[in-house]
């Protein structure tokens, strides 16, 4: 038997009509052929309109467990998501750079400032010793005014670093 000519129970090629095979033609069975059904409309898919995002730039941050707990608690207290809290905090700090510098300065920056101030005071102390030796020998060194100005700058630098340390947290 040649495939395609064998017919059993009204289905061509020994395939059941319910299994996706070709359907028997009505003319062969003695029926009129029905008008073809209109093609179903394509399925409607919801198209999302992408709006221009207000914040298209993404930055990643890393936190220790303690830092993340603090940030999360702050966000919860403010009624914001962590990302929203971080964005608003950063923008608030950026509006006032002078205040932000003192607020953001961490312990490392303060310690680094104290080491730099200590080095500066060492240089000034060395200059003061040279001026004192010259004055004790009866001379009036021309560098006296410059050494006094450097001493004042060193004292101001130490004072500034101390204020930073006191105003943390």
């Amino acid at each position: 038997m040649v495939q395609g000519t064998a017919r059993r129970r009204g289905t061509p090629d020994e395939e059941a009509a319910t299994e996706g095979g070709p359907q028997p033609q009505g003319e062969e069975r003695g029926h009129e052929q029905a008008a073809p059904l209109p093609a179903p409309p394509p399925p409607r898919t919801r198209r999302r309109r992408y709006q221009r995002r207000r914040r298209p730039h993404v930055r990643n941050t890393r936190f220790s467990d303690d830092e993340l707990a603090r940030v999360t608690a702050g966000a919860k207290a403010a009624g914001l998501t962590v990302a929203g809290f971080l964005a608003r905090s950063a923008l608030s700090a950026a509006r006032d750079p002078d205040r932000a510098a003192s607020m953001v300065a961490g312990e490392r920056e303060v310690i680094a400032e104290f080491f730099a101030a200590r080095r500066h005071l060492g240089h000034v102390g060395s200059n003061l010793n040279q001026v004192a030796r010259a004055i004790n020998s009866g001379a009036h060194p021309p560098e006296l005014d410059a050494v006094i100005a450097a001493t004042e700058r060193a004292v101001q630098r130490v004072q500034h670093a101390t204020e930073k340390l006191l105003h943390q947290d």
Side-chain angles (χ1 to χ4, degrees), residues 99-150:
R99 187 173 137 240
S102 65
M103 287 175 46
V104 173
E107 187 175 312
R108 288 183 183 178
E109 289 86 1
V110 173
I111 290 172
E113 181 64 25
F114 272 118
F115 278 122
R118 189 176 77 174
R119 276 193 311 276
H120 192 99
L121 282 173
H123 296 298
V124 170
S126 176
N127 289 343
L128 277 175
N129 282 338
Q130 292 171 5
V131 169
R133 187 177 324 136
I135 290 175
N136 287 338
S137 68
H140 183 71
E143 302 90 15
L144 181 60
D145 294 332
V147 170
I148 291 172

mmCIF file of all heavy atoms in Angstrom, residues 99-150:
data_model
loop_
_atom_site.group_PDB
_atom_site.id
_atom_site.type_symbol
_atom_site.label_atom_id
_atom_site.label_comp_id
_atom_site.label_asym_id
_atom_site.label_seq_id
_atom_site.Cartn_x
_atom_site.Cartn_y
_atom_site.Cartn_z
ATOM 1 N N ARG A 99 29.936 71.630 53.996
ATOM 2 C CA ARG A 99 29.350 70.851 55.087
ATOM 3 C C ARG A 99 29.531 69.357 54.839
ATOM 4 O O ARG A 99 29.820 68.588 55.742
ATOM 5 C CB ARG A 99 27.868 71.187 55.228
ATOM 6 C CG ARG A 99 27.235 70.541 56.428
ATOM 7 C CD ARG A 99 25.810 71.059 56.614
ATOM 8 N NE ARG A 99 24.981 69.930 56.938
ATOM 9 C CZ ARG A 99 23.944 69.499 56.262
ATOM 10 N NH1 ARG A 99 23.548 70.159 55.200
ATOM 11 N NH2 ARG A 99 23.272 68.458 56.624
ATOM 12 N N ALA A 100 29.389 68.960 53.569
ATOM 13 C CA ALA A 100 29.512 67.547 53.227
ATOM 14 C C ALA A 100 30.921 67.038 53.489
ATOM 15 O O ALA A 100 31.101 65.920 53.950
ATOM 16 C CB ALA A 100 29.141 67.330 51.771
ATOM 17 N N ALA A 101 31.921 67.862 53.214
ATOM 18 C CA ALA A 101 33.304 67.428 53.426
ATOM 19 C C ALA A 101 33.548 67.085 54.887
ATOM 20 O O ALA A 101 34.184 66.083 55.202
ATOM 21 C CB ALA A 101 34.270 68.507 52.961
ATOM 22 N N SER A 102 33.016 67.903 55.779
ATOM 23 C CA SER A 102 33.222 67.615 57.197
ATOM 24 C C SER A 102 32.362 66.436 57.645
ATOM 25 O O SER A 102 32.756 65.669 58.521
ATOM 26 C CB SER A 102 32.927 68.842 58.053
ATOM 27 O OG SER A 102 31.567 69.192 57.963
ATOM 28 N N MET A 103 31.185 66.260 57.029
ATOM 29 C CA MET A 103 30.316 65.146 57.399
ATOM 30 C C MET A 103 30.827 63.821 56.841
ATOM 31 O O MET A 103 30.736 62.788 57.494
ATOM 32 C CB MET A 103 28.895 65.397 56.881
ATOM 33 C CG MET A 103 28.156 66.462 57.638
ATOM 34 S SD MET A 103 26.547 66.854 56.927
ATOM 35 C CE MET A 103 25.852 65.278 56.608
ATOM 36 N N VAL A 104 31.367 63.865 55.632
ATOM 37 C CA VAL A 104 31.761 62.646 54.949
ATOM 38 C C VAL A 104 33.140 62.165 55.382
ATOM 39 O O VAL A 104 33.457 60.987 55.274
ATOM 40 C CB VAL A 104 31.708 62.857 53.417
ATOM 41 C CG1 VAL A 104 32.258 61.679 52.676
ATOM 42 C CG2 VAL A 104 30.287 63.135 52.987
ATOM 43 N N ALA A 105 33.938 63.087 55.876
ATOM 44 C CA ALA A 105 35.300 62.716 56.259
ATOM 45 C C ALA A 105 35.249 61.571 57.259
ATOM 46 O O ALA A 105 34.668 61.679 58.326
ATOM 47 C CB ALA A 105 36.021 63.919 56.854
ATOM 48 N N GLY A 106 35.843 60.504 56.881
ATOM 49 C CA GLY A 106 35.846 59.337 57.746
ATOM 50 C C GLY A 106 37.032 59.365 58.693
ATOM 51 O O GLY A 106 37.854 60.287 58.693
ATOM 52 N N GLU A 107 37.113 58.355 59.469
ATOM 53 C CA GLU A 107 38.186 58.257 60.459
ATOM 54 C C GLU A 107 39.551 58.261 59.784
ATOM 55 O O GLU A 107 40.493 58.886 60.277
ATOM 56 C CB GLU A 107 37.998 56.967 61.257
ATOM 57 C CG GLU A 107 38.927 56.829 62.420
ATOM 58 C CD GLU A 107 38.609 55.597 63.233
ATOM 59 O OE1 GLU A 107 37.442 55.376 63.556
ATOM 60 O OE2 GLU A 107 39.566 54.855 63.539
ATOM 61 N N ARG A 108 39.660 57.606 58.636
ATOM 62 C CA ARG A 108 40.953 57.571 57.938
ATOM 63 C C ARG A 108 41.404 58.959 57.522
ATOM 64 O O ARG A 108 42.575 59.296 57.635
ATOM 65 C CB ARG A 108 40.866 56.684 56.704
ATOM 66 C CG ARG A 108 40.782 55.230 57.025
ATOM 67 C CD ARG A 108 40.773 54.410 55.771
ATOM 68 N NE ARG A 108 40.628 52.998 56.093
ATOM 69 C CZ ARG A 108 40.545 52.051 55.208
ATOM 70 N NH1 ARG A 108 40.587 52.339 53.934
ATOM 71 N NH2 ARG A 108 40.419 50.800 55.576
ATOM 72 N N GLU A 109 40.472 59.757 57.003
ATOM 73 C CA GLU A 109 40.834 61.101 56.573
ATOM 74 C C GLU A 109 41.276 61.959 57.746
ATOM 75 O O GLU A 109 42.215 62.733 57.639
ATOM 76 C CB GLU A 109 39.660 61.770 55.843
ATOM 77 C CG GLU A 109 39.367 61.201 54.475
ATOM 78 C CD GLU A 109 38.436 60.000 54.523
ATOM 79 O OE1 GLU A 109 37.990 59.613 55.630
ATOM 80 O OE2 GLU A 109 38.172 59.426 53.464
ATOM 81 N N VAL A 110 40.598 61.810 58.873
ATOM 82 C CA VAL A 110 40.961 62.595 60.059
ATOM 83 C C VAL A 110 42.336 62.171 60.559
ATOM 84 O O VAL A 110 43.180 63.013 60.891
ATOM 85 C CB VAL A 110 39.890 62.444 61.161
ATOM 86 C CG1 VAL A 110 40.336 63.108 62.448
ATOM 87 C CG2 VAL A 110 38.576 63.049 60.689
ATOM 88 N N ILE A 111 42.592 60.871 60.600
ATOM 89 C CA ILE A 111 43.901 60.388 61.038
ATOM 90 C C ILE A 111 44.990 60.863 60.083
ATOM 91 O O ILE A 111 46.063 61.312 60.520
ATOM 92 C CB ILE A 111 43.893 58.846 61.155
ATOM 93 C CG1 ILE A 111 43.015 58.440 62.335
ATOM 94 C CG2 ILE A 111 45.298 58.301 61.315
ATOM 95 C CD1 ILE A 111 42.767 56.958 62.440
ATOM 96 N N ALA A 112 44.717 60.812 58.775
ATOM 97 C CA ALA A 112 45.691 61.289 57.788
ATOM 98 C C ALA A 112 45.959 62.777 57.987
ATOM 99 O O ALA A 112 47.112 63.227 57.877
ATOM 100 C CB ALA A 112 45.191 61.018 56.377
ATOM 101 N N GLU A 113 44.915 63.535 58.299
ATOM 102 C CA GLU A 113 45.087 64.972 58.538
ATOM 103 C C GLU A 113 45.934 65.218 59.789
ATOM 104 O O GLU A 113 46.790 66.100 59.801
ATOM 105 C CB GLU A 113 43.720 65.646 58.668
ATOM 106 C CG GLU A 113 43.785 67.140 58.893
ATOM 107 C CD GLU A 113 44.383 67.909 57.733
ATOM 108 O OE1 GLU A 113 44.335 67.432 56.597
ATOM 109 O OE2 GLU A 113 44.921 69.017 57.994
ATOM 110 N N PHE A 114 45.719 64.434 60.825
ATOM 111 C CA PHE A 114 46.528 64.591 62.030
ATOM 112 C C PHE A 114 47.997 64.250 61.769
ATOM 113 O O PHE A 114 48.898 64.931 62.257
ATOM 114 C CB PHE A 114 45.995 63.728 63.184
ATOM 115 C CG PHE A 114 44.947 64.428 63.997
ATOM 116 C CD1 PHE A 114 43.659 63.922 64.069
ATOM 117 C CD2 PHE A 114 45.241 65.585 64.701
ATOM 118 C CE1 PHE A 114 42.693 64.571 64.812
ATOM 119 C CE2 PHE A 114 44.282 66.241 65.446
ATOM 120 C CZ PHE A 114 43.004 65.724 65.506
ATOM 121 N N PHE A 115 48.269 63.205 60.982
ATOM 122 C CA PHE A 115 49.657 62.872 60.652
ATOM 123 C C PHE A 115 50.303 63.992 59.846
ATOM 124 O O PHE A 115 51.464 64.354 60.081
ATOM 125 C CB PHE A 115 49.744 61.555 59.883
ATOM 126 C CG PHE A 115 49.705 60.343 60.759
ATOM 127 C CD1 PHE A 115 48.725 59.384 60.588
ATOM 128 C CD2 PHE A 115 50.662 60.152 61.755
ATOM 129 C CE1 PHE A 115 48.690 58.259 61.392
ATOM 130 C CE2 PHE A 115 50.628 59.021 62.565
ATOM 131 C CZ PHE A 115 49.644 58.080 62.388
ATOM 132 N N ALA A 116 49.568 64.557 58.890
ATOM 133 C CA ALA A 116 50.108 65.663 58.094
ATOM 134 C C ALA A 116 50.356 66.883 58.970
ATOM 135 O O ALA A 116 51.386 67.564 58.821
ATOM 136 C CB ALA A 116 49.142 66.012 56.962
ATOM 137 N N ALA A 117 49.441 67.162 59.900
ATOM 138 C CA ALA A 117 49.629 68.304 60.808
ATOM 139 C C ALA A 117 50.837 68.068 61.712
ATOM 140 O O ALA A 117 51.596 69.006 62.000
ATOM 141 C CB ALA A 117 48.373 68.520 61.637
ATOM 142 N N ARG A 118 51.009 66.832 62.148
ATOM 143 C CA ARG A 118 52.159 66.531 63.008
ATOM 144 C C ARG A 118 53.471 66.742 62.247
ATOM 145 O O ARG A 118 54.435 67.306 62.776
ATOM 146 C CB ARG A 118 52.055 65.095 63.509
ATOM 147 C CG ARG A 118 53.082 64.768 64.576
ATOM 148 C CD ARG A 118 52.877 63.384 65.099
ATOM 149 N NE ARG A 118 53.415 62.429 64.118
ATOM 150 C CZ ARG A 118 53.498 61.137 64.330
ATOM 151 N NH1 ARG A 118 53.030 60.616 65.440
ATOM 152 N NH2 ARG A 118 54.009 60.350 63.426
ATOM 153 N N ARG A 119 53.528 66.304 60.968
ATOM 154 C CA ARG A 119 54.728 66.545 60.152
ATOM 155 C C ARG A 119 54.973 68.044 59.992
ATOM 156 O O ARG A 119 56.108 68.521 60.115
ATOM 157 C CB ARG A 119 54.555 65.900 58.770
ATOM 158 C CG ARG A 119 54.906 64.446 58.708
ATOM 159 C CD ARG A 119 55.013 63.963 57.257
ATOM 160 N NE ARG A 119 53.882 64.337 56.413
ATOM 161 C CZ ARG A 119 52.738 63.656 56.323
ATOM 162 N NH1 ARG A 119 52.562 62.563 57.021
ATOM 163 N NH2 ARG A 119 51.779 64.072 55.525
ATOM 164 N N HIS A 120 53.890 68.766 59.726
ATOM 165 C CA HIS A 120 54.005 70.221 59.550
ATOM 166 C C HIS A 120 54.530 70.868 60.835
ATOM 167 O O HIS A 120 55.404 71.739 60.778
ATOM 168 C CB HIS A 120 52.635 70.796 59.176
ATOM 169 C CG HIS A 120 52.674 72.204 58.708
ATOM 170 N ND1 HIS A 120 52.662 72.544 57.385
ATOM 171 C CD2 HIS A 120 52.733 73.381 59.395
ATOM 172 C CE1 HIS A 120 52.700 73.856 57.262
ATOM 173 N NE2 HIS A 120 52.737 74.385 58.469
ATOM 174 N N LEU A 121 53.996 70.447 61.974
ATOM 175 C CA LEU A 121 54.471 70.992 63.249
ATOM 176 C C LEU A 121 55.939 70.638 63.489
ATOM 177 O O LEU A 121 56.697 71.436 64.073
ATOM 178 C CB LEU A 121 53.623 70.479 64.411
ATOM 179 C CG LEU A 121 52.271 71.153 64.577
ATOM 180 C CD1 LEU A 121 51.455 70.441 65.660
ATOM 181 C CD2 LEU A 121 52.436 72.624 64.933
ATOM 182 N N GLY A 122 56.383 69.471 63.039
ATOM 183 C CA GLY A 122 57.801 69.098 63.173
ATOM 184 C C GLY A 122 58.697 70.032 62.392
ATOM 185 O O GLY A 122 59.747 70.465 62.889
ATOM 186 N N HIS A 123 58.282 70.389 61.170
ATOM 187 C CA HIS A 123 59.068 71.325 60.361
ATOM 188 C C HIS A 123 59.092 72.705 61.012
ATOM 189 O O HIS A 123 60.140 73.365 61.066
ATOM 190 C CB HIS A 123 58.504 71.433 58.940
ATOM 191 C CG HIS A 123 58.590 70.171 58.161
ATOM 192 N ND1 HIS A 123 59.765 69.547 57.846
ATOM 193 C CD2 HIS A 123 57.617 69.389 57.614
ATOM 194 C CE1 HIS A 123 59.525 68.454 57.153
ATOM 195 N NE2 HIS A 123 58.219 68.335 57.008
ATOM 196 N N VAL A 124 57.940 73.142 61.487
ATOM 197 C CA VAL A 124 57.855 74.457 62.134
ATOM 198 C C VAL A 124 58.707 74.460 63.405
ATOM 199 O O VAL A 124 59.408 75.438 63.700
ATOM 200 C CB VAL A 124 56.386 74.814 62.448
ATOM 201 C CG1 VAL A 124 56.297 76.040 63.330
ATOM 202 C CG2 VAL A 124 55.627 75.052 61.149
ATOM 203 N N GLY A 125 58.663 73.368 64.170
ATOM 204 C CA GLY A 125 59.484 73.286 65.394
ATOM 205 C C GLY A 125 60.960 73.387 65.085
ATOM 206 O O GLY A 125 61.720 74.049 65.815
ATOM 207 N N SER A 126 61.371 72.734 63.993
ATOM 208 C CA SER A 126 62.773 72.824 63.588
ATOM 209 C C SER A 126 63.139 74.260 63.246
ATOM 210 O O SER A 126 64.202 74.773 63.645
ATOM 211 C CB SER A 126 63.001 71.912 62.384
ATOM 212 O OG SER A 126 64.314 72.047 61.913
ATOM 213 N N ASN A 127 62.279 74.941 62.512
ATOM 214 C CA ASN A 127 62.528 76.351 62.171
ATOM 215 C C ASN A 127 62.559 77.223 63.426
ATOM 216 O O ASN A 127 63.376 78.142 63.529
ATOM 217 C CB ASN A 127 61.459 76.870 61.209
ATOM 218 C CG ASN A 127 61.596 76.284 59.825
ATOM 219 O OD1 ASN A 127 62.632 75.745 59.467
ATOM 220 N ND2 ASN A 127 60.529 76.376 59.046
ATOM 221 N N LEU A 128 61.657 76.963 64.373
ATOM 222 C CA LEU A 128 61.651 77.740 65.618
ATOM 223 C C LEU A 128 62.948 77.543 66.400
ATOM 224 O O LEU A 128 63.474 78.496 66.996
ATOM 225 C CB LEU A 128 60.454 77.335 66.492
ATOM 226 C CG LEU A 128 59.126 78.004 66.174
ATOM 227 C CD1 LEU A 128 58.013 77.405 67.032
ATOM 228 C CD2 LEU A 128 59.194 79.505 66.374
ATOM 229 N N ASN A 129 63.458 76.330 66.412
ATOM 230 C CA ASN A 129 64.734 76.082 67.099
ATOM 231 C C ASN A 129 65.867 76.886 66.455
ATOM 232 O O ASN A 129 66.721 77.447 67.160
ATOM 233 C CB ASN A 129 65.082 74.587 67.076
ATOM 234 C CG ASN A 129 64.291 73.815 68.099
ATOM 235 O OD1 ASN A 129 63.805 74.376 69.076
ATOM 236 N ND2 ASN A 129 64.159 72.514 67.874
ATOM 237 N N GLN A 130 65.885 76.965 65.120
ATOM 238 C CA GLN A 130 66.923 77.736 64.438
ATOM 239 C C GLN A 130 66.797 79.220 64.761
ATOM 240 O O GLN A 130 67.798 79.917 64.998
ATOM 241 C CB GLN A 130 66.836 77.516 62.933
ATOM 242 C CG GLN A 130 67.198 76.119 62.492
ATOM 243 C CD GLN A 130 66.898 75.893 61.021
ATOM 244 O OE1 GLN A 130 66.497 76.801 60.293
ATOM 245 N NE2 GLN A 130 67.105 74.646 60.576
ATOM 246 N N VAL A 131 65.540 79.731 64.797
ATOM 247 C CA VAL A 131 65.322 81.142 65.117
ATOM 248 C C VAL A 131 65.728 81.419 66.563
ATOM 249 O O VAL A 131 66.377 82.434 66.872
ATOM 250 C CB VAL A 131 63.847 81.535 64.869
ATOM 251 C CG1 VAL A 131 63.538 82.903 65.447
ATOM 252 C CG2 VAL A 131 63.550 81.522 63.383
ATOM 253 N N ALA A 132 65.367 80.520 67.494
ATOM 254 C CA ALA A 132 65.721 80.701 68.911
ATOM 255 C C ALA A 132 67.241 80.715 69.084
ATOM 256 O O ALA A 132 67.779 81.520 69.865
ATOM 257 C CB ALA A 132 65.105 79.594 69.752
ATOM 258 N N ARG A 133 67.947 79.831 68.381
ATOM 259 C CA ARG A 133 69.413 79.813 68.474
ATOM 260 C C ARG A 133 69.999 81.134 67.984
ATOM 261 O O ARG A 133 70.918 81.688 68.598
ATOM 262 C CB ARG A 133 69.951 78.652 67.648
ATOM 263 C CG ARG A 133 71.438 78.449 67.830
ATOM 264 C CD ARG A 133 72.019 77.260 67.089
ATOM 265 N NE ARG A 133 71.119 76.121 67.057
ATOM 266 C CZ ARG A 133 70.886 75.377 65.975
ATOM 267 N NH1 ARG A 133 71.495 75.661 64.833
ATOM 268 N NH2 ARG A 133 70.062 74.366 66.006
ATOM 269 N N ALA A 134 69.410 81.662 66.887
ATOM 270 C CA ALA A 134 69.920 82.936 66.348
ATOM 271 C C ALA A 134 69.630 84.077 67.314
ATOM 272 O O ALA A 134 70.490 84.955 67.534
ATOM 273 C CB ALA A 134 69.298 83.217 64.992
ATOM 274 N N ILE A 135 68.445 84.106 67.915
ATOM 275 C CA ILE A 135 68.090 85.178 68.851
ATOM 276 C C ILE A 135 68.971 85.090 70.095
ATOM 277 O O ILE A 135 69.437 86.111 70.618
ATOM 278 C CB ILE A 135 66.597 85.109 69.211
ATOM 279 C CG1 ILE A 135 65.756 85.506 68.000
ATOM 280 C CG2 ILE A 135 66.267 86.017 70.392
ATOM 281 C CD1 ILE A 135 64.265 85.364 68.203
ATOM 282 N N ASN A 136 69.231 83.873 70.582
ATOM 283 C CA ASN A 136 70.072 83.707 71.764
ATOM 284 C C ASN A 136 71.509 84.127 71.515
ATOM 285 O O ASN A 136 72.228 84.490 72.460
ATOM 286 C CB ASN A 136 70.053 82.250 72.248
ATOM 287 C CG ASN A 136 68.734 81.905 72.903
ATOM 288 O OD1 ASN A 136 68.005 82.789 73.372
ATOM 289 N ND2 ASN A 136 68.408 80.619 72.920
ATOM 290 N N SER A 137 71.955 84.109 70.270
ATOM 291 C CA SER A 137 73.319 84.551 69.959
ATOM 292 C C SER A 137 73.377 86.048 69.705
ATOM 293 O O SER A 137 74.426 86.580 69.372
ATOM 294 C CB SER A 137 73.865 83.780 68.761
ATOM 295 O OG SER A 137 73.167 84.123 67.590
ATOM 296 N N GLY A 138 72.228 86.740 69.845
ATOM 297 C CA GLY A 138 72.200 88.190 69.718
ATOM 298 C C GLY A 138 71.774 88.688 68.360
ATOM 299 O O GLY A 138 71.772 89.895 68.117
ATOM 300 N N ALA A 139 71.378 87.836 67.438
ATOM 301 C CA ALA A 139 70.995 88.270 66.095
ATOM 302 C C ALA A 139 69.465 88.355 65.984
ATOM 303 O O ALA A 139 68.733 87.802 66.794
ATOM 304 C CB ALA A 139 71.527 87.291 65.057
ATOM 305 N N HIS A 140 69.036 89.103 64.993
ATOM 306 C CA HIS A 140 67.602 89.172 64.693
ATOM 307 C C HIS A 140 67.426 88.579 63.296
ATOM 308 O O HIS A 140 67.601 89.276 62.293
ATOM 309 C CB HIS A 140 67.111 90.618 64.739
ATOM 310 C CG HIS A 140 65.628 90.739 64.503
ATOM 311 N ND1 HIS A 140 64.701 90.331 65.401
ATOM 312 C CD2 HIS A 140 64.936 91.221 63.431
ATOM 313 C CE1 HIS A 140 63.487 90.553 64.924
ATOM 314 N NE2 HIS A 140 63.610 91.105 63.718
ATOM 315 N N PRO A 141 67.025 87.270 63.206
ATOM 316 C CA PRO A 141 66.953 86.614 61.891
ATOM 317 C C PRO A 141 65.818 87.174 61.036
ATOM 318 O O PRO A 141 64.735 87.464 61.538
ATOM 319 C CB PRO A 141 66.716 85.143 62.232
ATOM 320 C CG PRO A 141 66.214 85.132 63.622
ATOM 321 C CD PRO A 141 66.697 86.379 64.296
ATOM 322 N N PRO A 142 66.054 87.301 59.734
ATOM 323 C CA PRO A 142 65.018 87.828 58.839
ATOM 324 C C PRO A 142 63.861 86.836 58.642
ATOM 325 O O PRO A 142 62.775 87.228 58.249
ATOM 326 C CB PRO A 142 65.756 88.078 57.525
ATOM 327 C CG PRO A 142 66.972 87.239 57.579
ATOM 328 C CD PRO A 142 67.309 87.055 59.027
ATOM 329 N N GLU A 143 64.068 85.553 58.937
ATOM 330 C CA GLU A 143 63.027 84.541 58.751
ATOM 331 C C GLU A 143 62.034 84.508 59.901
ATOM 332 O O GLU A 143 61.116 83.696 59.896
ATOM 333 C CB GLU A 143 63.652 83.139 58.640
ATOM 334 C CG GLU A 143 64.648 82.980 57.526
ATOM 335 C CD GLU A 143 66.064 83.310 57.982
ATOM 336 O OE1 GLU A 143 66.308 83.382 59.204
ATOM 337 O OE2 GLU A 143 66.907 83.525 57.124
ATOM 338 N N LEU A 144 62.181 85.361 60.892
ATOM 339 C CA LEU A 144 61.342 85.306 62.091
ATOM 340 C C LEU A 144 59.854 85.436 61.734
ATOM 341 O O LEU A 144 59.033 84.656 62.221
ATOM 342 C CB LEU A 144 61.749 86.398 63.080
ATOM 343 C CG LEU A 144 60.979 86.456 64.388
ATOM 344 C CD1 LEU A 144 61.127 85.152 65.149
ATOM 345 C CD2 LEU A 144 61.432 87.622 65.235
ATOM 346 N N ASP A 145 59.507 86.384 60.888
ATOM 347 C CA ASP A 145 58.091 86.572 60.516
ATOM 348 C C ASP A 145 57.531 85.360 59.762
ATOM 349 O O ASP A 145 56.389 84.949 59.987
ATOM 350 C CB ASP A 145 57.938 87.833 59.668
ATOM 351 C CG ASP A 145 58.248 89.104 60.453
ATOM 352 O OD1 ASP A 145 58.053 89.083 61.690
ATOM 353 O OD2 ASP A 145 58.670 90.084 59.832
ATOM 354 N N ALA A 146 58.342 84.778 58.888
ATOM 355 C CA ALA A 146 57.886 83.602 58.122
ATOM 356 C C ALA A 146 57.680 82.409 59.060
ATOM 357 O O ALA A 146 56.719 81.645 58.898
ATOM 358 C CB ALA A 146 58.902 83.259 57.036
ATOM 359 N N VAL A 147 58.541 82.252 60.049
ATOM 360 C CA VAL A 147 58.406 81.135 60.985
ATOM 361 C C VAL A 147 57.165 81.317 61.854
ATOM 362 O O VAL A 147 56.422 80.360 62.108
ATOM 363 C CB VAL A 147 59.684 80.994 61.846
ATOM 364 C CG1 VAL A 147 59.469 80.010 62.983
ATOM 365 C CG2 VAL A 147 60.854 80.565 60.991
ATOM 366 N N ILE A 148 56.908 82.533 62.278
ATOM 367 C CA ILE A 148 55.712 82.792 63.093
ATOM 368 C C ILE A 148 54.447 82.528 62.263
ATOM 369 O O ILE A 148 53.480 81.928 62.750
ATOM 370 C CB ILE A 148 55.734 84.226 63.650
ATOM 371 C CG1 ILE A 148 56.845 84.333 64.704
ATOM 372 C CG2 ILE A 148 54.389 84.598 64.252
ATOM 373 C CD1 ILE A 148 57.103 85.728 65.202
ATOM 374 N N ALA A 149 54.419 82.930 60.977
ATOM 375 C CA ALA A 149 53.264 82.680 60.100
ATOM 376 C C ALA A 149 53.078 81.173 59.899
ATOM 377 O O ALA A 149 51.943 80.670 59.918
ATOM 378 C CB ALA A 149 53.456 83.384 58.764
ATOM 379 N N ALA A 150 54.167 80.438 59.712
ATOM 380 C CA ALA A 150 54.069 78.981 59.537
ATOM 381 C C ALA A 150 53.556 78.326 60.813
ATOM 382 O O ALA A 150 52.778 77.360 60.755
ATOM 383 C CB ALA A 150 55.430 78.403 59.155
#
